[in-house]
Amino acid sequence: MNSNGFKRHRRLRRTESLRALVRETKVTKDDLIYPIFVVEGEGIKKEVASMPGVFHISLDYLTEEMKGLEAKGIRSVIVFGVPHEKDSQGSQAYCEHGIVQEAIRKIKKDIPALTVIADTCLCQYTDHGHCGLVENGEVLNDPSLELLVKTAISQAEAGADIIAPSNMMDGFVAAIREGLDEAGYSQIPIMSYAVKYASAFYGPFRDAAHSSPQFGDRRAYQMDPANRLEAMREAESDIEEGADFLIVKPALSYMDIMREVKDRFNAPLVAYNVSGEYSMIKAAAMNGWVNEQEIVMEKLTSMKRAGADLIITYFAKDVADWLNE
Ligand SMILES: [Zn+2]
């Protein structure tokens, strides 16, 4: 307190170097995980209409793309596959030569230092677009687990460094942990989509992954955005079942959830900065309404301040460029 009866907080904000000295939160390149969409075919590098700057790429472009990431200092990717063929069982998800398995193999062969995270779900591979097996209009829990385990094992066999199950079936972490262990992959960690809300922010991703449900929606397995305690129950189960990382998805509207998960559970926390959050900023920036770099850095810094250790983001390449400047 000074003689005027107030505190001088501005002392620590006076110059840029003082501000840097007391900055509590920083985004670094090691925090970033870049999502990639791999498609079947050749010579394909096609921009996703609703996600400017995000591309579908075929295997022949993969090495070049990954070397580009490595050169920028990005060390982790999460891989999504977009297959030609879809069926009711999502069989391309666990096929030995499925698009994701081939992509993982190629990345690990050409750029072994890159950490490859495999998204483990069925919705890109099923003709009905749901994340599990469907019977009489309902997504079945336990039979879907078996296919998820098969998918995870096939991804580990292909060389995935981390398995990231995202289908929100009950017991998916326990089932995958057991399956991986029995198959000899006890060293492979599970990054669980522990808290995944049924969110309107996923719209552009469904364009990118061609994974819109053909009937109904995902509210019978993804979470109600209104619920906080339910998120804690989901995270608790996943930790008990053996999850090594916890993901909260989406990020921007769920910072309160991130903070609470971080405070309650001692596992690395991952924020999934989803497609809708990306596209909204891109659209505004392309119209000149916001400063893209400033707004993206503010947003990612806020996620870290809210407790995120890692961020899955379509902005990863831009952020790495800005940090490298
Ligand atoms: Zn899914």
Side-chain angles (χ1 to χ4, degrees):
M1 210 75 80
N2 68 4
S3 56
N4 299 323
F6 57 84
K7 284 188 180 172
R8 293 206 179 271
H9 299 290
R10 289 180 53 192
R11 274 181 199 134
L12 299 183
R13 301 177 198 144
R14 198 168 51 83
T15 66
E16 175 46 33
S17 74
L18 266 171
R19 291 191 289 274
L21 211 53
V22 297
R23 191 159 293 137
E24 298 171 32
T25 311
K26 287 191 179 86
V27 175
T28 75
K29 286 181 277 177
D30 286 340
D31 304 329
L32 305 173
I33 299 169
Y34 186 60
I36 56 167
F37 297 98
V38 188
V39 296
E40 289 180 277
E42 262 179 43
I44 300 167
K45 186 171 183 183
K46 187 167 179 272
E47 195 167 41
V48 178
S50 54
M51 301 178 74
V54 172
F55 292 84
H56 278 160
I57 52 171
S58 49
L59 287 174
D60 48 336
Y61 279 126
L62 195 55
T63 300
E64 181 190 324
E65 174 76 11
M66 296 301 102
K67 285 195 170 152
L69 293 180
E70 195 184 36
K72 290 178 195 293
I74 294 170
R75 298 164 72 175
S76 306
V77 292
I78 181 163
V79 186
F80 296 91
V82 187
H84 271 324
E85 269 176 55
K86 303 190 184 214
D87 57 35
S88 64
Q89 313 274 311
S91 58
Q92 285 300 308
Y94 40 87
C95 172
E96 189 190 345
H97 297 290
I99 182 65
V100 158
Q101 288 77 4
E102 294 296 343
I104 294 168
R105 244 176 240 122
K106 192 160 176 53
I107 300 171
K108 291 312 294 184
K109 178 172 158 280
D110 293 348
I111 308 105
L114 208 59
T115 295
V116 177
I117 304 166
D119 178 85
T120 307
C121 198
L122 300 175
C123 51
Q124 290 114 264
Y125 308 91
T126 52
D127 51 13
H128 45 69
H130 278 286
C131 303
L133 288 171
V134 170
E135 200 176 271
N136 301 324
E138 262 199 56
V139 178
L140 304 174
N141 197 86
D142 300 12
S144 299
L145 290 180
E146 287 170 35
L147 298 186
L148 206 62
V149 171
K150 276 169 81 170
T151 304
I153 293 172
S154 74
Q155 293 168 333
E157 272 167 3
D161 296 294
I162 299 175
I163 296 297
S166 60
N167 81 343
M168 289 299 278
M169 295 299 117
D170 289 327
F172 69 169
V173 173
I176 288 175
R177 185 69 275 158
E178 192 188 338
L180 287 174
D181 290 354
E182 278 174 9
Y185 298 107
S186 58
Q187 78 282 13
I188 300 294
I190 295 176
M191 180 182 282
S192 173
Y193 286 70
V195 179
K196 183 176 179 182
Y197 286 95
S199 171
F201 285 96
Y202 304 151
F205 176 92
R206 290 177 189 164
D207 249 17
H210 302 155
S211 63
S212 292
Q214 298 303 301
F215 66 89
D217 55 41
R218 298 196 170 109
R219 288 169 201 271
Y221 43 106
Q222 296 179 354
M223 287 177 42
D224 183 337
N227 292 352
R228 175 178 67 87
L229 295 175
E230 188 183 12
M232 300 310 126
R233 295 198 293 273
E234 283 281 1
E236 189 174 23
S237 302
D238 284 15
I239 288 289
E240 282 169 3
E241 291 176 28
D244 300 283
F245 300 79
L246 297 173
I247 301 178
V248 172
K249 182 182 181 185
L252 202 53
S253 294
Y254 299 89
M255 299 241 195
D256 56 330
I257 305 297
M258 276 189 234
R259 168 47 60 200
E260 196 164 349
V261 169
K262 182 65 181 177
D263 287 347
R264 287 206 196 189
F265 305 101
N266 300 321
L269 176 65
V270 186
Y272 199 136
N273 175 207
V274 302
S275 58
E277 300 169 7
Y278 173 84
S279 299
M280 289 192 306
I281 290 180
K282 275 284 172 194
M286 286 162 80
N287 276 295
W289 296 337
V290 296
N291 178 315
E292 183 174 0
Q293 178 174 346
E294 287 179 4
I295 213 164
V296 170
M297 292 312 293
E298 181 175 335
K299 191 170 73 143
L300 298 196
T301 302
S302 306
M303 289 170 196
K304 289 209 69 184
R305 195 197 58 231
D309 299 291
L310 303 168
I311 305 170
I312 301 172
T313 179
Y314 303 97
F315 286 113
K317 288 200 265 189
D318 301 315
V319 172
D321 284 341
W322 298 329
L323 293 174
N324 287 335
E325 265 166 21

